[in-house]
Amino acid sequence: MDEWVRQAEAWVGRAEIWIRQQPPEQIYLAVAVVAVTVLLLVAGVSCLKSSKPNTIVLSGLSGSGKTILFYQLRDGSSHQGTVTSMEQNNDTFVLHSELERKGKIKPIHVVDVPGHARLKPKLDEVLPQAAGIIYVVDALDFLSTVQATAEYLYDILTKATVVKKRVPVLIFCNKTDKVTAHSKEFIKKQLEKEINKLRESRNALSSADITDEVKLGNPGEAFNFSQCQNKVTVAEGAGLTGNVSAVEQFIREYVKA
């Protein structure tokens, strides 16, 4: 330690001698260069922090309750329910449940993509900017739509932009306030079974027939969501009654306040 101290003192002494030998203009210039460099580094770090995505994508079939969920998150109201929308809801806001919190809160950008098949290209446009994806499932009418629900989810989970960026996905089982609604455990198992069938049939296609698609699961094993490269979780609630805490927790896990 003493040796290090002596070396440091020697370096400081040499630096003082060098500084005294330099013209004042050169010293001022050196100080200015250092100051500008520090400012640029600070600005660069700030830009990196602010560039983190804050977009949450609401996806799912038409009628699953995406638009009601959008309004609950933004306004704290279902607006007395909505009809199936063919227009994209797109807004940046602080979660309604956080409006009473003190201090600065980071707003989120929420995009509600209509579930109609003709509008799927809209989903492809927003997925590259997603910090998280909320896939809304109608738990009340699930069995009659299970195949279409699984196909749409499969398309999302195999998107290269989603897999490579490890975009987390929340499967939100909506309308579970109804007595006849299916549980999240049942929905999870049925979706895994359907996706396993899709995986087997699509893997049989030649790679030339598949574009921008990543294969799901482990070869020789039945599919389950834990095999996905990005995190997939399942939760339940009801947008119409305001039971959306699971969605809000998911959002704030990936878009920090």
Side-chain angles (χ1 to χ4, degrees):
M1 179 64 74
D2 292 341
E3 181 62 26
W4 280 104
V5 171
R6 283 194 292 272
Q7 287 185 7
E9 291 175 345
W11 291 336
V12 170
R14 294 192 194 99
E16 289 177 350
I17 294 172
W18 181 84
I19 290 172
R20 292 194 191 100
Q21 293 173 345
Q22 306 308 310
E25 297 81 4
Q26 190 167 332
I27 294 174
Y28 297 151
L29 179 61
V31 171
V33 169
V34 171
V36 170
T37 302
V38 170
L39 288 173
L40 289 174
L41 286 172
V42 171
V45 171
S46 298
C47 288
L48 285 174
K49 288 182 178 179
S50 62
S51 66
K52 289 183 178 179
N54 70 332
T55 298
I56 295 294
V57 177
L58 301 180
S59 60
L61 298 183
S62 296
S64 58
K66 298 185 302 299
T67 302
I68 288 177
L69 181 58
F70 176 90
Y71 287 138
Q72 282 289 5
L73 294 172
R74 189 187 68 178
D75 306 327
S77 169
S78 66
H79 293 270
Q80 304 301 314
T82 62
V83 295
T84 298
S85 175
M86 293 293 286
E87 295 296 327
Q88 179 174 285
N89 289 300
N90 187 332
D91 200 1
T92 300
F93 52 86
V94 172
L95 293 173
H96 185 269
S97 62
E98 297 177 338
L99 292 178
E100 302 298 322
R101 285 179 55 179
K102 295 181 180 179
K104 188 176 180 180
I105 302 173
K106 184 176 181 178
I108 56 171
H109 177 218
V110 180
V111 182
D112 163 25
V113 182
H116 194 280
R118 289 194 291 107
L119 299 175
K120 278 190 177 182
K122 294 287 185 183
L123 182 66
D124 294 336
E125 292 174 10
V126 297
L127 284 180
Q129 290 80 45
I133 300 166
I134 298 169
Y135 188 76
V136 185
V137 175
D138 186 341
L140 189 61
D141 195 31
F142 174 68
L143 284 180
S144 65
T145 62
V146 60
Q147 186 173 355
T149 300
E151 287 177 352
Y152 197 0
L153 179 58
Y154 180 95
D155 289 341
I156 292 174
L157 294 178
T158 55
K159 286 291 181 187
T161 52
V162 172
V163 177
K164 290 177 181 178
K165 293 184 178 181
R166 301 290 196 273
V167 181
V169 176
L170 172 67
I171 300 171
F172 181 63
C173 304
N174 193 24
K175 308 180 186 180
T176 55
D177 57 315
K178 305 298 183 182
V179 177
T180 55
H182 297 283
S183 68
K184 67 177 184 180
E185 291 80 10
F186 176 82
I187 291 173
K188 175 178 179 291
K189 288 180 180 178
Q190 293 303 312
L191 286 176
E192 287 175 337
K193 288 180 181 178
E194 289 295 325
I195 289 176
N196 192 56
K197 295 177 187 175
L198 286 167
R199 182 185 67 155
E200 292 174 351
S201 62
R202 297 201 188 185
N203 283 354
L205 298 174
S206 68
S207 58
D209 296 326
I210 302 173
T211 58
D212 191 34
E213 186 174 297
V214 177
K215 291 185 178 180
L216 281 182
N218 301 327
E221 296 181 19
F223 173 78
N224 63 71
F225 290 119
S226 65
Q227 297 168 355
C228 293
Q229 295 183 46
N230 51 321
K231 186 176 181 180
V232 179
T233 52
V234 184
E236 58 189 5
L240 195 61
T241 64
N243 180 12
V244 296
S245 59
V247 173
E248 292 172 333
Q249 289 171 13
F250 173 81
I251 290 172
R252 278 311 179 200
E253 182 177 354
Y254 298 103
V255 182
K256 301 299 182 184

